[in-house]
Amino acid sequence: MAIDIGGTKIAGALVHPDGAMTAVTRRPTPRGTDADGVMAAVAEVIADLAQHPVWAQAVRCGIGSAGPVDTSRGTVSPVNIGAWREFPVQERIAAELAARGARIPVVLVGDGVAMTAAEHWLGAARGHANALCMVVSTGVGGGLILNNQLHPGPTGNAGHIGHISVAFDGEPCACGGRGCVESLASGTAIARWALAQGWTGPDPTAAGVAASAAAGDPVAVAAFDRAGRALAAAIAATATLVETDVAVIGGGVAASGDTLFAPVRRHLASYAALSFVKDLQVVPAALGTHAGLIGAAAAAMMLLPTA
């Protein structure tokens, strides 16, 4: 059983051992309501799943949620769901499942960790024992596979590459740090920097900057080069620390293709110079919009026993 909670939608599915999904359902994430109002939408998704004939065969439940998360406590405080602050989502979902006859183990992971589990199971990190997977979108998140095991860390935030500092004298980051990858390479940061440098494209987003970069606009090209350099520095640092051999990049900014990947790979050659990291691959994520649900299921398989 997989539940994917984000700022736009709450989705659920019953996921088979080969990754095939049935009973896929979703609700829009409620706005302008309280914590219980958001939970009511989650309960509706669970109610939909409970109507499916294979409901009774579910043996685990994985929850992937926008963060911050604290998996040691089973709570979430998503930036894009204002009604939930330290909300006990794991406990509440477990109770909802039990009320419908599904007394199964439940695990919570952040969305970056879910994406990592998905890509290792069925995507671009499949077959790699050690991998870094990243989401580069409005923010920058990620997760780690070490020795073929998902490595979420004590609170579920290991691999959060967006808040590695890569610019010693860089600008302050929203997290309170300085020079973080997210403040340089997120979609928001790319668009903000391009606009500050005088870029005047018609679409003031990272997608708009990417379109201009693909057409050769020098400021847009420089914006993606700057982001690519930040990502390369963080990827190389992570690979040097834990010896990953592949970095998988997904998310909206990664949809720009070589506009992002070419500068990442070019700068990586400067940062990943030691013999045990110089062959590190950087590849696009393979699972797209399905990564959240597949990842929640994959995390449940990797982190939980059967009931």
Side-chain angles (χ1 to χ4, degrees), residues 206-235:
V209 179
S212 290
D217 181 278
V219 173
V221 169
F224 270 86
D225 185 76
R226 179 175 182 263
R229 185 178 181 186
L231 290 169
I235 290 167

Side-chain angles (χ1 to χ4, degrees), residues 3 5 10 37-47 84 89 93 96:
I3 297 172
I5 299 170
I10 296 166
V38 179
M39 184 62 207
V42 179
E44 290 176 10
V45 166
I46 293 170
W84 278 6
V89 69
I93 286 178
E96 193 72 30

Side-chain angles (χ1 to χ4, degrees), residues 132-236:
L132 166 68
C133 297
M134 308 170 61
V135 179
V136 183
S137 187
T138 306
V140 178
L144 290 167
I145 297 289
L146 301 177
N147 296 324
N148 280 313
Q149 298 295 314
L150 189 63
H151 184 73
T155 66
N157 293 288
H160 200 338
I161 194 170
H163 296 289
I164 288 177
S165 178
V166 293
F168 182 71
D169 294 319
E171 64 184 76
C173 177
C175 75
R178 182 176 291 277
C180 293
V181 175
E182 185 170 291
S183 69
L184 296 161
S186 68
T188 307
I190 290 169
R192 182 176 64 244
W193 188 85
L195 289 165
Q197 301 304 308
W199 176 74
T200 57
D203 175 9
T205 67
V209 179
S212 290
D217 181 278
V219 173
V221 169
F224 270 86
D225 185 76
R226 179 175 182 263
R229 185 178 181 186
L231 290 169
I235 290 167

Side-chain angles (χ1 to χ4, degrees), residues 208-265:
V209 179
S212 290
D217 181 278
V219 173
V221 169
F224 270 86
D225 185 76
R226 179 175 182 263
R229 185 178 181 186
L231 290 169
I235 290 167
T238 303
T240 302
L241 186 67
V242 295
E243 290 198 60
T244 56
D245 57 6
V246 66
V248 177
I249 305 179
V253 176
S256 61
D258 279 349
T259 300
L260 177 69
F261 283 90
V264 171
R265 290 168 178 147

Side-chain angles (χ1 to χ4, degrees), residues 4-302:
D4 179 24
I5 299 170
T8 303
K9 71 178 188 310
I10 296 166
L14 299 171
V15 184
H16 296 259
D18 63 356
M21 294 190 295
T22 56
V24 179
T25 184
R26 66 184 60 196
R27 295 288 190 281
T29 304
R31 300 287 182 188
T33 186
D34 61 9
D36 286 337
V38 179
M39 184 62 207
V42 179
E44 290 176 10
V45 166
I46 293 170
D48 286 350
L49 298 180
Q51 301 303 310
H52 196 276
V54 301
W55 165 265
Q57 298 174 35
V59 294
R60 309 175 183 89
C61 176
I63 307 162
S65 176
V69 303
D70 184 343
T71 59
S72 68
R73 299 169 58 214
T75 61
V76 297
S77 303
V79 171
N80 48 11
I81 305 178
W84 278 6
R85 287 297 171 266
E86 298 187 3
F87 184 75
V89 69
Q90 182 171 326
E91 178 185 334
R92 292 289 298 272
I93 286 178
E96 193 72 30
L97 297 177
R100 296 180 180 278
R103 297 183 181 278
I104 56 177
V106 178
V107 69
L108 168 68
V109 295
D111 50 8
V113 173
M115 176 264 194
T116 300
E119 291 291 336
H120 184 255
W121 183 24
L122 297 174
R126 189 173 187 175
H128 291 270
N130 301 285
L132 166 68
C133 297
M134 308 170 61
V135 179
V136 183
S137 187
T138 306
V140 178
L144 290 167
I145 297 289
L146 301 177
N147 296 324
N148 280 313
Q149 298 295 314
L150 189 63
H151 184 73
T155 66
N157 293 288
H160 200 338
I161 194 170
H163 296 289
I164 288 177
S165 178
V166 293
F168 182 71
D169 294 319
E171 64 184 76
C173 177
C175 75
R178 182 176 291 277
C180 293
V181 175
E182 185 170 291
S183 69
L184 296 161
S186 68
T188 307
I190 290 169
R192 182 176 64 244
W193 188 85
L195 289 165
Q197 301 304 308
W199 176 74
T200 57
D203 175 9
T205 67
V209 179
S212 290
D217 181 278
V219 173
V221 169
F224 270 86
D225 185 76
R226 179 175 182 263
R229 185 178 181 186
L231 290 169
I235 290 167
T238 303
T240 302
L241 186 67
V242 295
E243 290 198 60
T244 56
D245 57 6
V246 66
V248 177
I249 305 179
V253 176
S256 61
D258 279 349
T259 300
L260 177 69
F261 283 90
V264 171
R265 290 168 178 147
R266 183 174 64 252
H267 287 296
L268 189 63
S270 299
Y271 290 111
L274 291 167
S275 61
F276 61 93
V277 291
K278 66 182 181 62
D279 294 326
L280 175 68
Q281 302 174 51
V282 177
V283 299
L287 297 176
T289 57
H290 298 299
L293 285 171
I294 292 174
M301 287 192 299
M302 297 178 82

